[in-house]
Coordinates of all heavy atoms in Angstrom, one line a residue:
M1 N -8.0 22.4 -12.0 CA -6.7 21.8 -11.7 C -6.7 21.2 -10.4 O -7.1 21.8 -9.4 CB -5.7 22.9 -11.8 CG -4.2 22.5 -11.5 SD -3.5 21.5 -12.6 CE -3.2 22.6 -14.0
I2 N -6.4 19.9 -10.3 CA -6.3 19.2 -9.0 C -4.9 19.2 -8.6 O -3.9 18.8 -9.2 CB -6.7 17.7 -9.2 CG1 -8.3 17.8 -9.7 CG2 -6.6 17.0 -7.9 CD1 -8.7 16.4 -10.1
S3 N -4.5 19.7 -7.3 CA -3.2 19.8 -6.8 C -3.0 18.6 -5.9 O -3.8 18.2 -5.2 CB -3.0 21.2 -6.0 OG -4.0 21.2 -5.1
I4 N -1.7 18.2 -5.9 CA -1.4 17.0 -5.2 C 0.0 17.1 -4.5 O 0.9 17.7 -5.1 CB -1.2 15.8 -6.3 CG1 -2.3 15.5 -6.9 CG2 -0.6 14.5 -5.6 CD1 -2.3 14.7 -8.3
V5 N 0.1 16.7 -3.3 CA 1.3 16.5 -2.6 C 1.4 15.0 -2.4 O 0.6 14.2 -2.1 CB 1.3 17.1 -1.2 CG1 2.4 16.7 -0.3 CG2 1.4 18.6 -1.4
M6 N 2.8 14.4 -2.6 CA 3.0 13.1 -2.6 C 4.0 12.8 -1.5 O 4.9 13.6 -1.2 CB 3.7 12.5 -4.0 CG 3.0 12.7 -5.1 SD 3.8 12.0 -6.5 CE 5.3 12.6 -6.5
A7 N 3.8 11.7 -0.8 CA 4.8 11.2 0.3 C 5.1 9.7 0.1 O 4.2 8.9 0.1 CB 4.3 11.5 1.6
D8 N 6.3 9.5 -0.1 CA 6.8 8.1 -0.1 C 8.3 8.2 0.2 O 9.1 9.0 -0.3 CB 6.6 7.5 -1.5 CG 6.8 6.0 -1.5 OD1 7.9 5.6 -1.3 OD2 5.7 5.3 -1.8
D9 N 8.9 7.1 1.0 CA 10.2 7.2 1.3 C 11.1 6.6 0.3 O 12.4 6.7 0.3 CB 10.5 6.5 2.7 CG 10.0 5.1 2.7 OD1 8.8 4.8 2.1 OD2 10.6 4.1 3.2
H10 N 10.6 6.2 -0.9 CA 11.4 5.7 -2.0 C 11.4 6.6 -3.2 O 10.3 6.9 -3.8 CB 10.8 4.3 -2.5 CG 11.0 3.3 -1.4 ND1 9.9 3.0 -0.6 CD2 12.0 2.5 -1.0 CE1 10.2 2.0 0.3 NE2 11.5 1.8 0.0
P11 N 12.4 7.3 -3.5 CA 12.6 8.3 -4.5 C 12.1 7.8 -5.8 O 11.4 8.5 -6.6 CB 14.1 8.8 -4.5 CG 14.7 8.3 -3.2 CD 13.8 7.2 -2.7
M12 N 12.5 6.6 -6.2 CA 12.1 6.0 -7.5 C 10.6 5.9 -7.6 O 9.9 6.1 -8.7 CB 12.8 4.7 -7.7 CG 14.2 4.8 -8.0 SD 15.0 3.3 -8.5 CE 14.4 2.9 -10.1
I13 N 9.8 5.6 -6.5 CA 8.4 5.5 -6.6 C 7.9 6.8 -6.8 O 6.9 7.0 -7.7 CB 7.9 4.9 -5.2 CG1 8.4 3.5 -5.0 CG2 6.3 4.9 -5.2 CD1 8.0 2.4 -6.0
R14 N 8.4 7.9 -6.1 CA 7.7 9.2 -6.2 C 8.0 9.6 -7.7 O 7.2 10.3 -8.2 CB 8.5 10.1 -5.2 CG 8.2 9.9 -3.8 CD 8.6 11.2 -3.0 NE 9.8 11.5 -3.1 CZ 11.0 11.2 -2.5 NH1 10.9 10.2 -1.5 NH2 12.2 11.7 -2.7
E15 N 9.1 9.4 -8.2 CA 9.5 9.8 -9.6 C 8.6 9.1 -10.6 O 8.1 9.9 -11.5 CB 10.9 9.4 -9.8 CG 11.6 10.0 -11.2 CD 13.0 9.5 -11.4 OE1 13.8 9.7 -10.4 OE2 13.2 8.9 -12.5
G16 N 8.4 7.8 -10.5 CA 7.4 7.1 -11.2 C 6.0 7.7 -11.2 O 5.3 7.9 -12.3
I17 N 5.5 7.9 -10.0 CA 4.2 8.5 -9.9 C 4.1 9.9 -10.4 O 3.0 10.3 -11.1 CB 3.8 8.4 -8.3 CG1 3.5 7.0 -7.8 CG2 2.5 9.2 -8.1 CD1 3.3 6.8 -6.4
R18 N 5.1 10.6 -10.1 CA 5.1 12.1 -10.7 C 5.0 12.0 -12.3 O 4.3 12.9 -12.9 CB 6.3 12.8 -10.2 CG 6.4 14.2 -10.8 CD 7.7 15.0 -10.5 NE 7.7 15.7 -9.3 CZ 7.2 16.9 -9.0 NH1 6.6 17.5 -10.0 NH2 7.1 17.4 -7.8
S19 N 5.8 11.1 -12.9 CA 5.8 11.1 -14.4 C 4.4 10.7 -14.9 O 3.9 11.3 -15.9 CB 6.9 10.1 -14.9 OG 6.6 8.9 -14.6
M20 N 3.7 10.0 -14.1 CA 2.4 9.5 -14.6 C 1.3 10.6 -14.4 O 0.5 10.9 -15.3 CB 1.9 8.2 -13.9 CG 2.6 7.0 -14.3 SD 1.8 5.5 -13.5 CE 2.1 5.7 -11.7
I21 N 1.5 11.3 -13.2 CA 0.5 12.4 -13.0 C 0.8 13.6 -14.0 O -0.1 14.1 -14.4 CB 0.8 12.9 -11.5 CG1 0.3 11.8 -10.5 CG2 0.1 14.3 -11.2 CD1 0.7 12.2 -9.1
E22 N 2.1 13.8 -14.3 CA 2.3 14.9 -15.2 C 1.8 14.7 -16.7 O 1.8 15.7 -17.4 CB 3.8 15.2 -15.2 CG 4.3 15.8 -13.8 CD 5.7 16.2 -13.8 OE1 6.5 15.6 -14.5 OE2 6.1 16.9 -12.8
R23 N 1.4 13.6 -16.9 CA 0.8 13.3 -18.2 C -0.6 13.9 -18.4 O -1.1 13.9 -19.5 CB 0.8 11.8 -18.6 CG 2.2 11.2 -18.6 CD 2.0 9.7 -18.9 NE 3.4 9.1 -18.8 CZ 3.6 7.8 -18.9 NH1 2.7 7.0 -19.1 NH2 4.8 7.4 -18.7
H24 N -1.2 14.3 -17.3 CA -2.6 14.8 -17.3 C -2.5 16.2 -17.0 O -2.0 16.7 -16.1 CB -3.4 14.1 -16.1 CG -3.5 12.6 -16.4 ND1 -4.3 12.0 -17.2 CD2 -2.6 11.6 -15.9 CE1 -4.2 10.7 -17.2 NE2 -3.1 10.4 -16.4
A25 N -3.1 17.0 -17.9 CA -3.2 18.4 -17.9 C -3.8 19.0 -16.7 O -3.5 20.1 -16.2 CB -3.8 19.0 -19.2
N26 N -4.8 18.2 -16.1 CA -5.6 18.8 -15.1 C -5.1 18.3 -13.6 O -5.7 18.6 -12.6 CB -7.1 18.3 -15.2 CG -7.3 16.8 -15.1 OD1 -6.3 16.1 -15.5 ND2 -8.4 16.4 -14.6
L27 N -3.8 17.8 -13.7 CA -3.2 17.3 -12.4 C -1.9 18.1 -12.2 O -1.2 18.2 -13.2 CB -3.0 15.8 -12.3 CG -4.1 14.9 -12.4 CD1 -3.8 13.5 -12.5 CD2 -5.3 15.1 -11.3
K28 N -1.6 18.5 -11.0 CA -0.3 19.2 -10.8 C 0.2 18.7 -9.4 O -0.5 18.8 -8.4 CB -0.4 20.7 -10.8 CG 0.7 21.4 -10.5 CD 0.6 22.9 -10.7 CE 1.8 23.6 -10.3 NZ 2.7 23.9 -11.3
V29 N 1.5 18.2 -9.4 CA 2.2 17.9 -8.2 C 2.8 19.2 -7.6 O 3.7 19.9 -8.2 CB 3.3 16.9 -8.4 CG1 4.0 16.5 -7.2 CG2 2.7 15.5 -8.9
L30 N 2.4 19.6 -6.5 CA 2.8 20.7 -5.7 C 4.1 20.5 -4.9 O 4.9 21.5 -4.8 CB 1.8 21.3 -4.8 CG 0.5 21.9 -5.4 CD1 -0.4 22.3 -4.2 CD2 0.6 22.8 -6.4
G31 N 4.2 19.3 -4.5 CA 5.4 19.0 -3.6 C 5.5 17.5 -3.4 O 4.5 16.7 -3.6
E32 N 6.7 17.1 -3.0 CA 7.0 15.7 -2.7 C 7.7 15.6 -1.3 O 8.6 16.5 -1.0 CB 8.0 15.0 -3.8 CG 7.4 15.1 -5.1 CD 8.5 14.4 -6.1 OE1 9.3 13.6 -5.6 OE2 8.3 14.7 -7.2
A33 N 7.3 14.6 -0.5 CA 8.0 14.4 0.8 C 8.6 13.0 0.9 O 8.0 12.1 0.3 CB 6.8 14.7 1.9
S34 N 9.6 12.9 1.6 CA 10.3 11.6 1.8 C 9.8 10.9 3.1 O 10.1 9.8 3.4 CB 11.7 11.6 1.8 OG 12.2 12.5 2.8
G35 N 9.0 11.5 3.8 CA 8.4 11.1 5.2 C 7.2 11.8 5.6 O 6.7 12.8 5.0
G36 N 6.5 11.2 6.6 CA 5.4 11.7 7.1 C 5.4 13.1 7.7 O 4.5 14.0 7.3
A37 N 6.4 13.5 8.5 CA 6.4 14.8 9.1 C 6.6 15.8 8.0 O 6.0 16.9 8.0 CB 7.6 14.9 10.0
Q38 N 7.5 15.5 7.0 CA 7.6 16.5 5.8 C 6.4 16.6 5.1 O 5.9 17.7 4.6 CB 8.7 16.0 5.0 CG 9.2 16.9 3.9 CD 10.1 16.4 2.9 OE1 10.4 15.2 2.9 NE2 10.8 17.3 2.2
A39 N 5.5 15.5 4.9 CA 4.3 15.5 4.3 C 3.3 16.5 4.9 O 2.7 17.3 4.2 CB 3.7 14.2 4.0
L40 N 3.2 16.4 6.2 CA 2.3 17.3 7.0 C 2.7 18.7 6.9 O 1.8 19.6 6.7 CB 2.3 16.9 8.4 CG 1.5 15.6 8.8 CD1 1.8 15.2 10.3 CD2 0.1 15.8 8.5
E41 N 4.0 19.1 6.9 CA 4.4 20.4 6.6 C 4.0 20.9 5.3 O 3.5 22.1 5.1 CB 5.9 20.5 6.8 CG 6.5 21.9 6.8 CD 6.8 22.3 5.5 OE1 7.4 21.5 4.6 OE2 6.6 23.4 5.1
L42 N 4.2 20.1 4.2 CA 3.9 20.4 2.8 C 2.4 20.6 2.7 O 1.8 21.6 2.0 CB 4.4 19.5 1.9 CG 5.8 19.4 1.7 CD1 6.2 18.2 0.6 CD2 6.4 20.7 1.0
V43 N 1.6 19.8 3.3 CA 0.1 19.8 3.2 C -0.3 21.1 3.9 O -1.2 21.8 3.3 CB -0.6 18.6 3.8 CG1 -2.0 18.8 4.1 CG2 -0.4 17.4 2.9
E44 N 0.0 21.5 5.1 CA -0.2 22.7 5.8 C 0.1 23.9 4.9 O -0.7 24.9 4.8 CB 0.2 22.8 7.2 CG -0.2 23.9 8.0 CD 0.2 23.7 9.4 OE1 0.2 22.7 10.0 OE2 0.4 24.8 10.0
R45 N 1.3 23.9 4.4 CA 1.8 25.0 3.7 C 1.2 25.2 2.3 O 0.8 26.4 1.9 CB 3.4 25.0 3.5 CG 3.9 26.2 2.9 CD 5.5 26.3 3.1 NE 6.2 25.1 2.8 CZ 6.6 24.7 1.7 NH1 6.5 25.5 0.6 NH2 7.4 23.5 1.5
L46 N 1.1 24.1 1.6 CA 0.7 24.2 0.1 C -0.9 24.0 -0.1 O -1.4 24.3 -1.1 CB 1.4 23.2 -0.8 CG 2.9 23.3 -0.7 CD1 3.6 22.1 -1.4 CD2 3.4 24.6 -1.3
Q47 N -1.6 23.5 0.9 CA -3.1 23.3 0.9 C -3.4 22.6 -0.5 O -4.3 23.0 -1.2 CB -3.8 24.6 1.0 CG -3.5 25.3 2.4 CD -4.2 24.6 3.4 OE1 -5.4 24.3 3.5 NE2 -3.4 24.2 4.6
P48 N -3.0 21.3 -0.6 CA -3.3 20.5 -1.9 C -4.8 20.0 -1.8 O -5.4 19.9 -0.7 CB -2.3 19.4 -2.0 CG -2.2 19.2 -0.6 CD -2.2 20.5 0.2
D49 N -5.3 19.6 -3.0 CA -6.6 19.0 -3.0 C -6.4 17.5 -2.6 O -7.3 16.9 -2.0 CB -7.2 18.9 -4.4 CG -7.4 20.4 -4.9 OD1 -8.0 21.1 -4.2 OD2 -7.0 20.7 -6.1
V50 N -5.2 16.9 -2.9 CA -5.1 15.5 -2.6 C -3.7 15.3 -2.0 O -2.7 15.8 -2.3 CB -5.1 14.6 -3.9 CG1 -4.7 13.2 -3.8 CG2 -6.4 14.8 -4.6
L51 N -3.7 14.3 -1.0 CA -2.4 13.9 -0.4 C -2.3 12.5 -0.8 O -3.2 11.7 -0.3 CB -2.4 14.1 1.1 CG -1.3 13.5 1.9 CD1 0.1 14.0 1.4 CD2 -1.6 13.7 3.4
L52 N -1.3 12.1 -1.5 CA -1.1 10.8 -2.0 C 0.1 10.3 -1.1 O 1.2 10.8 -1.2 CB -0.7 10.7 -3.5 CG -0.4 9.5 -4.0 CD1 -1.5 8.5 -4.0 CD2 0.0 9.6 -5.5
L53 N -0.1 9.2 -0.3 CA 1.0 8.8 0.6 C 1.0 7.3 0.8 O 0.2 6.5 0.6 CB 0.9 9.5 2.0 CG -0.5 9.4 2.7 CD1 -0.3 8.1 3.8 CD2 -0.7 10.6 3.5
D54 N 2.3 7.0 1.1 CA 2.7 5.5 1.3 C 2.2 5.2 2.8 O 2.2 6.0 3.6 CB 4.2 5.6 1.3 CG 4.7 4.1 1.5 OD1 4.0 3.1 1.4 OD2 6.0 4.0 1.4
L55 N 1.7 4.0 2.8 CA 1.2 3.5 4.2 C 2.4 3.3 5.2 O 2.2 3.6 6.4 CB 0.4 2.3 4.0 CG -0.9 2.4 3.5 CD1 -1.6 1.1 3.3 CD2 -1.7 3.4 4.4
R56 N 3.5 2.9 4.6 CA 4.7 2.6 5.6 C 5.8 3.6 5.2 O 6.5 3.4 4.2 CB 5.1 1.2 5.5 CG 4.1 0.2 5.8 CD 4.5 -1.2 5.8 NE 3.6 -2.1 6.3 CZ 3.1 -3.2 5.6 NH1 3.8 -3.5 4.5 NH2 2.1 -3.9 6.0
M57 N 6.1 4.5 6.2 CA 7.2 5.3 6.0 C 8.0 5.3 7.3 O 7.4 5.0 8.4 CB 6.8 6.7 5.7 CG 6.3 6.8 4.3 SD 5.7 8.6 3.9 CE 4.2 8.6 4.8
P58 N 9.3 5.5 7.4 CA 10.1 5.4 8.7 C 9.7 6.3 9.8 O 9.7 5.9 10.9 CB 11.5 5.6 8.2 CG 11.5 6.1 6.8 CD 10.1 6.0 6.3
D59 N 9.4 7.6 9.5 CA 9.1 8.4 10.6 C 7.7 8.6 11.2 O 7.4 8.7 12.3 CB 9.7 10.0 10.3 CG 8.9 10.6 9.2 OD1 8.3 9.8 8.4 OD2 8.9 11.8 9.0
M60 N 6.8 8.6 10.2 CA 5.3 8.5 10.6 C 4.7 7.6 9.4 O 4.9 7.9 8.1 CB 4.6 9.9 10.4 CG 5.1 10.8 11.5 SD 4.3 12.5 11.2 CE 2.8 12.3 12.1
D61 N 3.8 6.8 9.7 CA 3.1 6.0 8.7 C 1.8 6.7 8.1 O 1.6 7.8 8.7 CB 2.7 4.5 9.2 CG 1.7 4.5 10.3 OD1 1.0 5.5 10.5 OD2 1.7 3.5 11.0
G62 N 1.3 6.1 7.1 CA 0.2 6.8 6.5 C -1.0 7.2 7.4 O -1.5 8.3 7.4
P63 N -1.4 6.2 8.3 CA -2.5 6.5 9.1 C -2.2 7.7 10.1 O -3.0 8.5 10.3 CB -2.8 5.2 9.9 CG -2.4 4.2 9.0 CD -1.2 4.8 8.2
E64 N -0.9 7.7 10.6 CA -0.6 8.8 11.4 C -0.5 10.2 10.7 O -1.1 11.1 11.3 CB 0.8 8.6 12.0 CG 1.0 7.6 13.0 CD 2.4 7.5 13.4 OE1 3.3 6.9 12.7 OE2 2.7 7.9 14.6
V65 N -0.1 10.1 9.4 CA -0.2 11.4 8.6 C -1.7 11.8 8.5 O -2.0 13.0 8.6 CB 0.6 11.2 7.3 CG1 0.4 12.4 6.4 CG2 2.1 10.9 7.6
T66 N -2.4 10.9 8.2 CA -3.9 11.2 7.9 C -4.6 11.8 9.1 O -5.3 12.7 8.9 CB -4.7 9.9 7.5 OG1 -4.0 9.2 6.3 CG2 -6.1 10.1 7.2
R67 N -4.3 11.2 10.2 CA -4.8 11.9 11.5 C -4.2 13.2 11.8 O -4.9 14.1 12.4 CB -4.6 10.9 12.7 CG -5.6 9.6 12.7 CD -5.3 8.9 13.9 NE -4.1 8.3 14.1 CZ -3.6 7.1 13.6 NH1 -4.4 6.4 12.9 NH2 -2.4 6.7 14.0
G68 N -3.0 13.4 11.4 CA -2.3 14.7 11.7 C -2.5 15.9 10.8 O -2.0 16.8 10.9
R69 N -3.3 15.6 9.8 CA -3.5 16.6 8.8 C -4.6 17.7 9.0 O -5.1 18.4 8.2 CB -3.8 16.1 7.3 CG -5.1 15.5 7.1 CD -5.3 14.8 5.8 NE -6.5 14.8 5.2 CZ -7.5 14.3 5.8 NH1 -7.5 13.9 7.0 NH2 -8.8 14.3 5.2
A70 N -4.9 18.0 10.3 CA -5.9 18.9 10.7 C -5.6 20.3 10.2 O -6.6 21.0 10.0 CB -5.9 19.0 12.3
G71 N -4.4 20.6 9.8 CA -4.1 22.0 9.3 C -4.7 22.1 7.8 O -4.7 23.1 7.2
S72 N -5.1 21.0 7.2 CA -5.6 21.0 5.9 C -6.6 20.0 5.8 O -6.5 19.0 5.1 CB -4.5 20.7 4.8 OG -5.0 20.8 3.5
P73 N -7.8 20.1 6.3 CA -8.9 19.2 6.3 C -9.4 18.9 5.0 O -10.1 18.0 4.7 CB -9.9 19.6 7.3 CG -9.6 21.2 7.4 CD -8.1 21.3 7.2
R74 N -9.2 19.9 4.1 CA -9.8 19.9 2.7 C -9.1 18.8 1.8 O -9.7 18.2 0.9 CB -9.7 21.2 2.0 CG -9.1 21.3 0.7 CD -8.9 22.6 0.2 NE -7.9 22.5 -0.8 CZ -7.7 23.4 -1.8 NH1 -8.3 24.5 -1.8 NH2 -6.8 23.2 -2.7
A75 N -7.9 18.5 2.2 CA -7.0 17.6 1.3 C -7.6 16.1 1.4 O -7.7 15.7 2.6 CB -5.6 17.6 1.8
R76 N -7.9 15.5 0.4 CA -8.4 14.2 0.4 C -7.2 13.3 0.4 O -6.1 13.6 -0.2 CB -9.2 13.8 -0.9 CG -10.4 14.7 -1.1 CD -11.4 14.4 0.0 NE -12.6 15.1 -0.3 CZ -13.3 15.8 0.6 NH1 -12.9 15.9 1.8 NH2 -14.4 16.5 0.4
V77 N -7.2 12.0 1.1 CA -6.1 11.2 1.2 C -6.3 10.0 0.3 O -7.4 9.4 0.4 CB -5.9 10.8 2.7 CG1 -4.8 9.8 2.8 CG2 -5.7 12.0 3.7
C78 N -5.2 9.7 -0.4 CA -5.1 8.4 -1.1 C -3.8 7.7 -0.6 O -2.7 8.4 -0.5 CB -5.0 8.7 -2.6 SG -6.3 9.5 -3.4
S79 N -3.9 6.5 -0.3 CA -2.8 5.8 0.3 C -2.5 4.5 -0.6 O -3.4 3.9 -1.1 CB -2.9 5.5 1.8 OG -4.0 4.8 2.0
S80 N -1.2 4.1 -0.5 CA -0.8 2.9 -1.1 C 0.1 2.0 -0.3 O 0.6 2.6 0.5 CB -0.3 3.2 -2.4 OG 0.9 3.9 -2.3

């Protein structure tokens, strides 16, 4: 099972991505964040395999989140 945390400031985007992910039995969304700070908190707490994040968010952008994920170095980052 591959665990995922998603971060995007647009709820409809998160909803669409979640619906695509949930079609695959080996993928599981552990949490969703609407901003970078919340994404970092979820990554540290949930320890996902993958962090899927938006490059442009109002509080922290994707590169800032990527640099700040020291609490979960195992999480691979995918950005859009």
Side-chain angles (χ1 to χ4, degrees):
M1 178 72 64
I2 298 171
S3 58
I4 301 167
V5 165
M6 300 186 310
D8 195 297
D9 55 323
H10 297 97
M12 290 185 69
I13 298 295
R14 290 194 316 269
E15 187 178 311
I17 292 171
R18 178 184 274 276
S19 70
M20 288 188 293
I21 289 171
E22 290 178 341
R23 294 179 190 175
H24 300 276
N26 63 333
L27 302 176
K28 179 177 178 84
V29 176
L30 298 180
E32 295 180 26
S34 60
Q38 185 182 23
L40 286 176
E41 185 273 322
L42 287 175
V43 166
E44 188 169 325
R45 184 166 45 90
L46 301 173
Q47 297 291 305
D49 299 311
V50 174
L51 171 58
L52 179 62
L53 55 94
D54 188 0
L55 284 175
R56 295 188 181 133
M57 292 181 285
D59 64 338
M60 291 176 88
D61 64 18
E64 286 179 289
V65 174
T66 300
R67 287 189 296 274
R69 75 185 207 305
S72 182
R74 130 188 158 158
R76 302 290 184 232
V77 177
C78 300
S79 56
S80 61

